[in-house]
C-alpha cells in the first residue's frame, strides 16, 4: 500500500497522461471527464465504500476521456454489476479509467481515444438516484482517489 501511495504522490505533479519524464518514470495527470459538481467523493460515506467520485448537476451530458488510452470494455460488463452501462479505458502503466451509469456510449472496445474525446452521455443506468457520471481511477484493478491525479481545480458546490 505504501508503494501505491508514493506512486500517487509522485504522479500528482505530473505532465500530461502517457508522458515520460527524462528519467523514464511514467508521469500522469488527468482532465475532468464531465462539467458538473462533485456530488459524492471517494472513500467511506455513511458506512458504505464508494470507489470513485460522482459528478452531477451537469452542464452537459457529454462524458469525455480523462486521459488518452485504449477502450477495453463498453456496455454492461461482468464485474461491474450495478454500474449500468460503462466505458473502461486502459491508460497505461497499470491505470484504467472507468466511466459508469452512461445512457449511451460513443466508443467501442479497441478504440484509441485522446484526452477530451467524447466517450458517451451521462445517464442513470444501473443502481443510481439521478443522472450523473460515476468516475473511477484504478491502479492494477484497485480503486484509488481520482482527485489525486486530476487537474488542479476540483469542481464542487462552491465553484471551481
Amino acid at each position: 500500500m505504501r508503494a501505491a501511495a508514493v506512486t500517487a504522490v509522485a504522479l500528482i505533479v505530473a505532465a500530461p497522461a502517457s508522458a515520460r519524464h527524462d528519467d523514464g518514470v511514467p508521469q500522469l495527470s488527468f482532465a475532468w471527464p464531465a462539467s458538473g459538481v462533485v456530488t459524492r467523493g471517494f472513500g467511506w460515506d455513511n458506512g458504505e465504500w464508494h470507489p470513485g467520485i460522482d459528478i452531477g448537476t451537469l452542464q452537459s451530458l457529454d462524458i469525455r476521456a480523462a486521459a488518452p488510452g485504449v477502450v477495453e470494455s463498453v456496455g454492461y460488463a461482468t464485474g461491474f454489476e450495478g454500474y449500468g452501462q460503462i466505458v473502461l479505458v486502459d491508460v497505461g502503466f497499470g491505470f484504467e479509467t472507468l466511466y459508469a451509469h452512461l445512457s449511451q456510449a460513443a466508443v467501442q472496445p479497441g478504440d484509441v481515444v485522446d484526452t477530451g474525446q467524447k466517450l458517451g452521455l451521462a445517464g442513470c443506468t444501473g443502481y443510481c438516484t439521478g443522472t450523473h457520471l460515476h468516475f473511477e481511477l484504478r491502479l492494477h484493478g484497485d480503486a484509488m482517489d481520482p482527485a489525486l491525479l486530476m487537474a488542479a481545480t476540483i469542481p464542487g458546490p462552491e465553484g471551481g
Side-chain angles (χ1 to χ4, degrees), residues 76 83-85 100-103 121-132:
Y76 293 81
Y83 283 60
Q85 186 165 200
H101 303 303
L102 304 183
S103 65
L121 297 176
C124 188
T125 58
Y127 304 137
C128 72
T129 57
T131 300
H132 71 285

Side-chain angles (χ1 to χ4, degrees), residues 90-113:
D90 179 345
V91 297
F93 313 114
F95 286 95
E96 297 170 311
T97 51
L98 174 75
Y99 310 81
H101 303 303
L102 304 183
S103 65
Q104 183 178 69
V107 292
Q108 299 176 27
D111 285 354
V112 175
V113 297

Side-chain angles (χ1 to χ4, degrees), residues 73-88 98:
S73 185
V74 174
Y76 293 81
T78 301
F80 297 101
E81 291 77 12
Y83 283 60
Q85 186 165 200
I86 68 158
V87 171
L88 181 66
L98 174 75

Side-chain angles (χ1 to χ4, degrees), residues 45-64:
D45 181 20
N46 292 323
E48 181 178 277
W49 176 248
H50 191 244
I53 59 173
D54 289 347
I55 303 172
T57 316
L58 299 167
Q59 296 173 7
S60 165
L61 294 180
D62 290 345
I63 302 304
R64 303 200 174 273

